[in-house]
Amino acid sequence: MTTAEQPILEVRGITKRFPGVVALNNVSAQFMPGEVHAVVGENGAGKSTLMKVMVGAYRPDGGEIIFRGEKVAFAHPKEAQEAGISIIYQEFNLLPDRTVAQNVFFGREPSRYGLVNQRELNQKTVEVLRELGAENMFQPTAPLHTLSVAEQQIVEIAKAIAFDSKVLIMDEPTAALSMTEVQLLTDLIDKLLERNLAIVFISHRFREVFDLSQKISVLKDGQYIGTLKTAETDANEVIEMMVGRPLDSYFPGLATPEEIGAVKVSVRNGSNDFLKNINLDLCAGEIVGVSGLQGSGRTELAQALFGVEPFHEGTVAINGKALQVNSPTIAIRNKMGFVTEDRKAEGIFPNQPIRDNILLTVRTLQALVKRISRDGVTGQPNLVSDLSHQVDVRASSSDQEVQYLSGGNQQKVVLAKWLASTAEIFIFDEPTRGIDVEAKAAIHEMIRELARRGAAILMISSELPEIIGMSDRIIVMWDGTIYGELPSGATESEIMKLATGHSNGNANGSNSE
Amino acid sequence: MSELTTTNNGPSTWQRFAARARSVNPIYVIMILLLLGVGYLNPRFLEVNGFLAFLRRAAPIMILTAGQLYVLVSGGFDLSVGSIVTLVVIGGALMIDNDPANTWWVILVLLAGGVVVGLVNGFIVAYLKVPSLIATLGMLLVLRGAGLYWSGGAPRGYLTDNFRIFGRGNIENLPLVDKFPYAVIVLAIVGILATYLFHRMVYGRQLLALGDNPRAAKLSGVRTNRVRILAFVISAVSAVIAGILLGGFSGVNIEAGTGLELQAISAAVLGGAVLLGGSGSVPAAMAGALALELLFALLNLLGLPKPLRDAVQGLIIISAVAYAALGTRRSK
């Protein structure tokens, strides 16, 4: 299959910095025509950033991109597309109310007398679809929103063909597809390889990585680790490369057995639209880490426990009492707290002062016509300043609107909000995402301190060092289920094996579906 | 209060004064300037009785604005209030049926009707997820149609004196002021209650949180539907009270409430309320309503024709929203 010796696309020493992080550090890779090249790595390893740098969505801070033997610097993905590099994001870039043909030739419709020539447009679309062997699947005149996800993906690919692309980049192309649809994509990719395209794809699903690719490149923390020939490696080796790094050492100690107390939350056979057969116990004094890849059901588990998207089936008991937690209000009344993943959308009230942010949850437990105490609650008139001290919010005064605080300080305000409510069961979803190292360590210390005081804690994180450093017990989610449980001291590769749908000793990819 | 980790070494007295001056809502300055302007052109206006008479006239729109503020802060609009005012005036006259003995139960029925309209508005917005602009616009048409159908298209009946006393009557023979309008007493009571509920009670804080970030409010335990519906009820009840005052002041008229909803929204926006929710103040919104009335009085004294009111109002809404949009963009 591989005929040309020259790479069609090559990156050399690419570096990309964002405020506070180096997303890509001196990354180099070569992509050959007629070859499928998978790029793998943990969440945040820099895969998507690298793709975006290649098509000009981001401008690199260093390094160069060589396309067809020439140095290029695209200012916009559109320029890259015109030059012959197309990218298909997880979220398709299509117009749902336009037809298939209008989408395929969007912005370049054949025209006659200044009007779009519909007949030629549809004709040309059929030709493109024929090349993909998909001309019988749907009409060029079908409105896009009537197509399935898999069919829409074909439209995206057809669009790339219509641009005569030489390189096609796909970000998680199989994430939303069923098994049969994945087979369809596999056939399609064979057609594309016949055209001598280079295909680059990002995936978390090892099965597809091994089924589809000829080469696998591994990124980790923005560093290029290496490239392997798929035929000469196995899942274990790839996982080792993805996670093999020393543990960061700034975590507080784990719980001693005496510190772990009674069961506070107990879920049996919990299921809803996103989750299947969840069995889970959370004990006082214990931090349970939840690992899993994006879309594995981690956040959905938190939302089910907290009543945002409740379990439809199964039982939940809090402190031994069976309950239907059907709304956050019920959860809060049973002393639960939820520090959400998306601070901006779900945590803070940007236009309100710090004090009202901190006091909101405790106020939801009061009558609507109760007189407020400005800086606290009855009996604790200085609650705001006490908590601000405790979590160390850096602000000029508690009058300051939260929108003007840094991410770390906003997170501390959110934390203080739940401390004010005297919760005893805490769910943390990505508690340290997007905040600096110092604030991170402070928040880790606070979470552990809560556990020491007898709180039960469920901590979701996509950062494996955080999971390993903080958790007294680790559960790993995959495909809406708790796929496995590991004791503290588990290694990153053990976690990754479960998170990618492998059980131990089942290296090359069959999943349990 | 400022036991937080302070980042500067204590502001000087002047800095503190400047900060304080900046934090004063500009609507109060605008209001005072307009007051002086009107007083300059018509000195009688600055006398106690002249001013009280003006407050009496402004009371309905100020009350309406206080209610509207609750809905605006929740992130919605209530366009139905003008029609509620009209219906109160028309329906009040028809139900009283020229018998002063009927006045008291009619007032109770009108207030109860306000609660029902507010509940329906709130229910449609909170549970059926209809945007409030559309829901209350629909309610505006429903109530207007109902009023016209009920009255047969022309004002019928009279409001009895004991009904009209709230809008136009005075307590006579008082020391110092000679006479004091009932409407101003109603205004003061409503103003204080609305301010207290919004600024000093749990409900106000939950409403602000809901308007600022509905998703976060829900996840923090705010019962968002309940809080939202209550805002519509408060707005509708304030419209009933405004209607009772306005009917008293100017009698039965099938156009009594036309356009008042937009006037209330512009007034609240003048007072610093942010359209789309999350920020606002009851006293400032009421000051905005007073400022708007003063502006109309000023335009009137300057001999500008009445239709200019509408144009001025439109300009206020556009500039206030544009200003707010610029502000939020800059802060990002």
Side-chain angles (χ1 to χ4, degrees), chain B residues 13 48 78 151 154 171 173 188 211 241 252 282:
Chain B
T13 318
V48 174
D78 189 351
S151 68
I171 306 173
N173 302 322
I241 297 171
V252 183
V282 172

Side-chain angles (χ1 to χ4, degrees), chain A residues 303 306 308 328-329 332-333 344-346 348-352 355-356 361 363-364 366-372 374 385 388-389 395 397-398 417-418, chain B residues 1-7 196-197 199-203 205-206 208-210 212-213 215-223 226-227 230 278-279 331:
Chain A
Q303 291 182 337
F306 201 65
V308 185
T329 310
I332 290 164
R333 278 171 201 268
K344 275 216 160 55
E346 304 190 320
I348 60 162
F349 302 94
N351 294 299
Q352 312 304 319
R355 73 160 67 83
D356 288 331
T361 296
R363 282 173 180 156
T364 65
Q366 300 172 335
L368 290 179
V369 291
K370 184 175 164 53
R371 195 180 198 292
I372 55 167
R374 210 171 93 100
S385 57
S388 301
H389 249 335
S397 95
S398 54
K417 174 173 80 176
W418 292 111
Chain B
M1 174 210 80
S2 56
E3 280 141 27
L4 300 175
T5 321
T6 319
T7 45
Y196 197 76
L197 179 61
H199 295 276
R200 293 279 176 270
M201 285 183 161
V202 166
Y203 177 66
R205 292 301 199 274
Q206 293 198 14
L208 281 162
L210 167 68
D212 200 3
N213 190 344
R215 174 89 180 152
K218 197 174 173 61
L219 290 172
S220 300
V222 175
R223 287 188 240 197
R226 189 180 294 192
V227 170
L230 192 52
S279 169
S331 75

Side-chain angles (χ1 to χ4, degrees), chain A residues 126-137 154 184 187-188 191:
Chain A
V126 172
E127 282 165 26
V128 174
L129 290 176
R130 190 170 296 134
E131 282 193 52
L132 295 171
E135 74 275 18
N136 294 324
M137 294 181 63
I154 292 172
L184 202 75
D187 297 344
L188 213 65
K191 289 242 167 45

Side-chain angles (χ1 to χ4, degrees), chain B residues 115-239:
Chain B
V115 172
V116 171
V117 171
L119 284 175
V120 173
N121 277 337
F123 181 84
I124 295 172
V125 173
Y127 286 99
L128 305 184
K129 312 280 178 215
V130 177
S132 62
L133 206 64
I134 306 297
T136 60
L137 188 64
M139 186 57 83
L140 178 155
L141 293 173
V142 168
L143 295 180
R144 180 193 285 170
L148 287 175
Y149 181 77
W150 196 0
S151 68
R156 278 197 295 141
Y158 298 94
L159 290 165
T160 51
D161 282 341
N162 66 348
F163 186 96
R164 294 193 63 174
I165 195 166
F166 294 107
R168 66 172 178 182
N170 293 298
I171 306 173
E172 307 281 348
N173 302 322
L174 287 173
L176 293 170
V177 292
D178 185 32
K179 54 183 182 179
F180 197 92
Y182 285 104
V184 176
I185 297 173
V186 174
L187 172 66
I189 294 171
V190 172
I192 289 167
L193 285 179
T195 303
Y196 197 76
L197 179 61
F198 188 84
H199 295 276
R200 293 279 176 270
M201 285 183 161
V202 166
Y203 177 66
R205 292 301 199 274
Q206 293 198 14
L207 189 68
L208 281 162
L210 167 68
D212 200 3
N213 190 344
R215 174 89 180 152
K218 197 174 173 61
L219 290 172
S220 300
V222 175
R223 287 188 240 197
T224 50
N225 287 344
R226 189 180 294 192
V227 170
R228 200 187 292 281
I229 290 171
L230 192 52
F232 281 97
V233 171
I234 290 166
S235 176
V237 169
S238 79

Side-chain angles (χ1 to χ4, degrees), chain A residues 41-45 47 90 172 204 267 272-276 278 280 282 288-309 311 338-342 346 426-433 458-467 471 474-484 495-496 498-500, chain B residues 215:
Chain A
E42 288 178 55
N43 295 332
K47 308 176 299 274
Q90 256 172 296
E172 293 258 17
H204 280 130
V267 182
N272 64 19
D273 293 348
F274 314 102
L275 299 169
K276 281 170 284 189
I278 299 294
L280 175 68
L282 300 179
V288 175
V290 181
S291 189
L293 298 166
Q294 269 165 24
S296 61
R298 296 176 313 191
T299 295
E300 287 76 6
L301 175 63
Q303 291 182 337
L305 287 170
F306 201 65
V308 185
E309 293 286 347
F311 291 116
F338 182 15
V339 178
T340 48
E341 174 181 11
D342 189 341
E346 304 190 320
F426 287 86
I427 303 168
F428 291 91
D429 196 356
E430 302 285 0
T432 61
R433 169 171 292 179
L458 187 76
M459 189 193 75
I460 299 168
S461 175
S462 49
E463 289 182 41
L464 288 178
E466 184 169 73
I467 289 283
S471 310
I474 300 164
I475 61 176
V476 185
M477 298 203 63
W478 186 78
D479 201 25
T481 59
I482 295 178
Y483 197 64
I495 297 174
M496 280 312 287
L498 291 172
T500 48
Chain B
R215 174 89 180 152

